[in-house]
Amino acid sequence: VEITVGYRYYAGLHMVFCDAADALLAIAVGDKTAWTGNVTANSTIHIDKPNLFGGEEREGGVQGDIDVLFGGDTQGVNSYLLSKLGANTPAFRGVVSLVAKQVYLAALNPYIKPWKAKLKRIPAKTWQPTYADVGGNANPIHIIYELITEHGLGQIDQTSFINAASTLKSENFGMSITWTGGSIEEFLQLILDHIGGMLFVNPTTGLFQIRLIRNDYNVSSLPVFDETSIKEMVSYQRIALADTINQLTIYYTDMNSGEERSICLQDLANFAAQGRVVSDERKYLGITNLSLATKVAMRDLAASAAMLSKLTIKVSRKAYNLVPGDVFVFKWPKLGIEQMVFRVGAVNYGTLSDSTI
């Protein structure tokens, strides 16, 4: 006597993932890797994982042919979809999708597990291609470059962008991130927060210029502002010890699993001074590896644990060529300050009738 204890389940699926991609690298079903490779053009791949979920004694697996469609301008109608949906089936150009053609999906369990695709796209890859790919991630400057140029925001200062792209390449600072909504300005600021950079329009050239905040200056060569060039010291504020933090948790994304990971660092000197833990956390989900996450955590903790000063001054035209991100030396004997380095956050260049900056 034959007894039916369950069934195999097959289905055709059409799954749309994103607008554009350069390559398909992996497919996961039910959070288990079903296929890996490197497909860069429309083609058919075969998944052969009948025991992915434990075989027929449990929940079966995945087996069958998958059409990979990158959605190019000349992409034709998929033959499988045409056979199922009829003559009015569109070509689905402009999106990246997968077509599972009556694929074995499960056994004993009539529910379709979630499918995920690992896709890669390097933005602005024809501009400075040497710097575009950073260990399988995108160079953040290429992301910013594409956002500005593709959306017609303005013209680029090539020198500053190339220098920044070169620096991030040498630092192995790549990002993998999706723009899931919000304004361009918000997304740009998210990228800048990751890399520690400032983006602005140079008032002299009218071009977008970018500046990475790095310890890349020589104090002896910096411009000096003191009583001879400062017309008014509007405000000076030093952050109190109680306002600093000594423990920072950074969240990043693991490239292989796509899951959030975290790293926590402490400033022991600040902890000893305060006698208590003062913690903060930040999300840099465009970072995809522990090494880079650690460097960024150290960067942010160093700034957040230090008793930095803030300064607003009105100065002469000596500061006409300062832009955001520039550094200068401040001297003010009345406060006992003989030499302190500040970085420009924002500049008001005044008016034609007023020489004050």
Side-chain angles (χ1 to χ4, degrees):
V1 178
E2 292 186 0
I3 300 176
T4 301
V5 297
Y7 298 90
R8 283 186 165 205
Y9 294 92
Y10 296 79
L13 305 172
H14 184 213
M15 300 164 281
V16 176
F17 290 93
C18 60
D19 292 339
D22 297 329
L24 171 68
L25 303 179
I27 297 173
V29 183
D31 292 325
K32 293 181 179 292
T33 301
W35 175 90
T36 59
N38 186 22
V39 175
T40 59
N42 285 15
S43 56
T44 300
I45 61 175
H46 183 73
I47 295 179
D48 190 19
K49 295 283 185 173
N51 300 314
L52 189 63
F53 312 127
E56 293 189 358
E57 294 183 357
R58 299 188 65 184
E59 294 186 354
V62 179
Q63 191 174 41
D65 290 338
I66 310 289
D67 286 343
V68 183
L69 308 178
F70 284 95
D73 293 339
T74 61
Q75 179 172 288
V77 177
N78 180 263
S79 59
Y80 178 81
L81 294 179
L82 179 64
S83 69
K84 299 299 180 182
L85 303 178
N88 293 326
T89 304
F92 292 102
R93 295 168 184 166
V95 293
V96 179
S97 63
L98 299 179
V99 178
K101 301 186 290 188
Q102 205 65 18
V103 170
Y104 170 46
L105 295 175
L108 304 179
N109 182 0
Y111 301 102
I112 299 175
K113 297 182 185 297
W115 286 55
K116 297 178 182 179
K118 184 177 184 180
L119 297 154
K120 176 180 178 180
R121 176 178 176 271
I122 300 296
K125 56 182 175 290
T126 59
W127 176 79
Q128 300 298 319
T130 304
Y131 305 134
D133 190 319
V134 183
N137 298 279
N139 191 314
I141 302 303
H142 284 67
I143 301 176
I144 296 173
Y145 183 95
E146 181 174 275
L147 287 170
I148 293 174
T149 56
E150 291 294 321
H151 291 86
L153 301 183
Q155 300 297 312
I156 297 291
D157 177 81
Q158 291 289 329
T159 300
S160 70
F161 271 68
I162 292 172
N163 289 341
S166 175
T167 297
L168 293 182
K169 177 75 171 183
S170 66
E171 293 176 349
N172 290 319
F173 204 128
M175 288 179 60
S176 287
I177 193 168
T178 55
W179 184 11
T180 56
S183 67
I184 293 178
E185 290 76 13
E186 291 172 338
F187 190 57
L188 282 170
Q189 189 57 55
L190 178 64
I191 305 299
L192 294 169
D193 291 342
H194 276 70
I195 64 177
M198 303 180 75
L199 178 70
F200 55 91
V201 176
N202 189 298
T204 302
T205 65
L207 303 176
F208 272 103
Q209 190 171 330
I210 194 163
R211 182 72 180 268
L212 298 178
I213 309 304
R214 300 292 189 271
N215 185 20
D216 56 0
Y217 57 86
N218 188 332
V219 175
S220 62
S221 62
L222 298 179
V224 177
F225 292 93
D226 54 21
E227 291 176 321
T228 63
S229 52
I230 297 175
K231 296 185 175 183
E232 178 186 350
M233 189 170 75
V234 180
S235 66
Y236 173 81
Q237 177 185 1
R238 188 173 181 86
I239 297 176
L241 178 63
D243 294 325
T244 62
I245 69 168
N246 49 43
Q247 179 173 286
L248 181 63
T249 301
I250 293 292
Y251 294 91
Y252 66 100
T253 304
D254 182 86
M255 175 177 273
N256 294 321
S257 67
E259 302 291 331
E260 274 192 30
R261 299 283 186 261
S262 65
I263 179 174
C264 182
L265 297 182
Q266 291 183 329
D267 187 304
L268 298 180
N270 185 293
F271 174 78
Q274 294 204 59
R276 63 191 180 107
V277 174
V278 183
S279 62
D280 193 11
E281 60 181 38
R282 295 167 194 178
K283 288 196 172 186
Y284 293 121
L285 299 183
I287 294 174
T288 62
N289 62 82
L290 175 61
S291 175
L292 181 57
T294 302
K295 292 179 182 178
V296 171
M298 293 174 63
R299 177 198 74 189
D300 283 13
L301 182 60
S304 300
M307 297 169 62
L308 300 176
S309 297
K310 299 179 181 180
L311 177 69
T312 302
I313 53 178
K314 292 183 178 180
V315 299
S316 66
R317 299 301 296 176
K318 179 180 178 181
Y320 80 95
N321 62 342
L322 287 184
V323 294
D326 280 344
V327 286
F328 64 90
V329 171
F330 173 66
K331 291 186 177 183
W332 202 256
K334 294 177 182 179
L335 291 177
I337 300 174
E338 291 298 326
Q339 179 174 279
M340 186 177 289
V341 176
F342 282 85
R343 189 177 295 274
V344 178
V347 188
N348 184 332
Y349 294 96
T351 63
L352 291 174
S353 59
D354 185 1
S355 61
T356 300
I357 296 177

